[in-house]
């Protein structure tokens, strides 16, 4: 996965971010020939608390093994 750098919060201009994982059932699911899911993570602005990015760390695992990129 390509590394993404967040420069500034689009809401307050803050430059410090905290990474958190969504709780309970916070995941993304794909159901193509079987259900696959990955936990969702969020980059949260330390200054105003806005979630500036939501992502999964291993998007390739949402594909069947034969379709995954190495």
């Amino acid at each position: 996965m390509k590394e993404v750098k967040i420069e500034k919060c689009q809401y307050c201009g803050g430059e410090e971010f905290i990474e958190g994982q969504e709780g309970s059932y916070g995941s993304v699911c794909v159901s193509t020939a079987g259900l696959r899911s990955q936990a969702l993570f969020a980059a949260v602005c330390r200054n105003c608390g806005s979630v500036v990015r939501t992502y999964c760390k291993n998007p390739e695992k949402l594909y069947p093994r034969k379709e995954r990129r190495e």
Side-chain angles (χ1 to χ4, degrees), residues 20-37:
Q21 184 175 356
E22 292 194 24
S24 298
Y25 296 105
S27 64
V28 61
C29 297
V30 175
S31 71
T32 53
L35 188 63
R36 291 172 192 80
S37 67

Side-chain angles (χ1 to χ4, degrees), residues 13-25:
E15 297 178 351
E16 291 184 74
F17 302 94
I18 302 166
E19 181 182 82
Q21 184 175 356
E22 292 194 24
S24 298
Y25 296 105

Side-chain angles (χ1 to χ4, degrees), residues 8-59:
K8 288 188 178 187
C9 174
Q10 61 184 344
Y11 303 104
C12 72
E15 297 178 351
E16 291 184 74
F17 302 94
I18 302 166
E19 181 182 82
Q21 184 175 356
E22 292 194 24
S24 298
Y25 296 105
S27 64
V28 61
C29 297
V30 175
S31 71
T32 53
L35 188 63
R36 291 172 192 80
S37 67
Q38 284 288 297
L40 288 177
F41 293 85
V44 180
C45 175
R46 187 172 177 178
N47 191 41
C48 71
S50 295
V51 175
V52 295
R53 180 175 181 236
T54 303
Y55 58 97
C56 64
K57 289 188 176 183
N58 298 305

